C-alpha cells in the first residue's frame, strides 16, 4: 500500500509564503499526475493545482500567479510553493497522486495552512 505524506504546513501572516511537500512512502512508485487540493472549514474540497507526467501544469483561478506546483524527476514527490498568501488560502491541503494505467488514486492525510495575523 502506498502512502502520501505531506509536510510544510503552518501558520503564516498575510502576504507570506509557504512551501508544501508531499512524498510517496515507496520510492519505486511513479505517478502519472500529481496534484494539490484544499478544504476550508465548512466548504467542500476544491482543486488547487496539478502537474502531469509531461510537466504540464494547471491551476485554480484563485491561486494562478501566486502558487507554483513542481515535482521531482522520479514522479513520486510533489511540491507547492505558495506566495502572497491571504486568509482565503486557509485550509487543509491534500496531495493527490494518480497512477498510470489503472488510474488508481492516492491521497495524503492533509496538512493545515493557516493565514492570519
Amino acid at each position: 500500500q502506498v502512502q502520501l505524506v505531506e509536510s510544510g504546513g503552518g501558520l503564516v501572516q498575510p502576504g507570506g509564503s509557504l512551501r508544501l511537500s508531499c512524498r510517496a512512502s515507496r520510492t519505486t512508485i511513479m505517478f502519472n499526475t500529481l496534484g494539490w487540493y484544499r478544504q476550508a472549514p465548512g466548504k467542500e474540497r476544491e482543486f488547487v493545482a496539478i502537474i502531469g507526467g509531461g510537466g504540464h501544469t494547471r491551476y485554480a483561478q484563485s491561486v494562478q500567479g501566486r502558487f507554483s506546483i513542481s515535482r521531482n524527476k522520479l514522479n513520486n514527490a510533489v511540491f507547492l510553493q505558495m506566495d502572497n498568501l491571504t486568509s482565503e488560502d486557509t485550509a487543509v491541503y491534500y496531495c493527490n497522486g494518480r497512477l498510470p494505467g489503472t488510474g488508481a488514486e492516492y491521497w495524503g492525510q492533509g496538512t493545515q495552512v493557516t493565514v492570519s495575523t
Side-chain angles (χ1 to χ4, degrees):
Q1 184 70 14
V2 177
Q3 290 183 325
L4 293 175
V5 181
E6 299 113 333
S7 61
L11 174 64
V12 64
Q13 292 186 346
S17 299
L18 281 176
R19 179 177 171 83
L20 304 183
S21 299
C22 173
R23 300 180 186 276
S25 57
R26 279 170 40 194
T27 58
T28 55
I29 196 167
M30 295 178 66
F31 291 101
N32 183 29
T33 62
L34 288 160
W36 290 94
Y37 293 73
R38 67 187 182 185
Q39 186 168 17
K43 295 185 178 180
E44 295 185 353
R45 189 174 298 188
E46 64 176 6
F47 165 78
V48 175
I50 194 169
I51 184 166
H56 299 291
T57 59
R58 182 166 61 91
Y59 297 90
Q61 187 175 1
S62 60
V63 306
Q64 184 77 43
R66 300 187 299 120
F67 290 11
S68 178
I69 189 171
S70 60
R71 58 178 169 78
N72 67 347
K73 292 182 179 180
L74 296 177
N75 288 339
N76 55 25
V78 63
F79 311 96
L80 187 68
Q81 177 66 39
M82 305 185 295
D83 297 321
N84 195 21
L85 287 160
T86 75
S87 59
E88 297 296 311
D89 298 314
T90 294
V92 178
Y93 284 71
Y94 298 90
C95 69
N96 171 277
R98 189 180 295 272
L99 295 179
T102 65
E105 198 172 26
Y106 295 89
W107 291 90
Q109 82 286 354
T111 185
Q112 177 70 49
V113 172
T114 302
V115 185
S116 176
T117 57

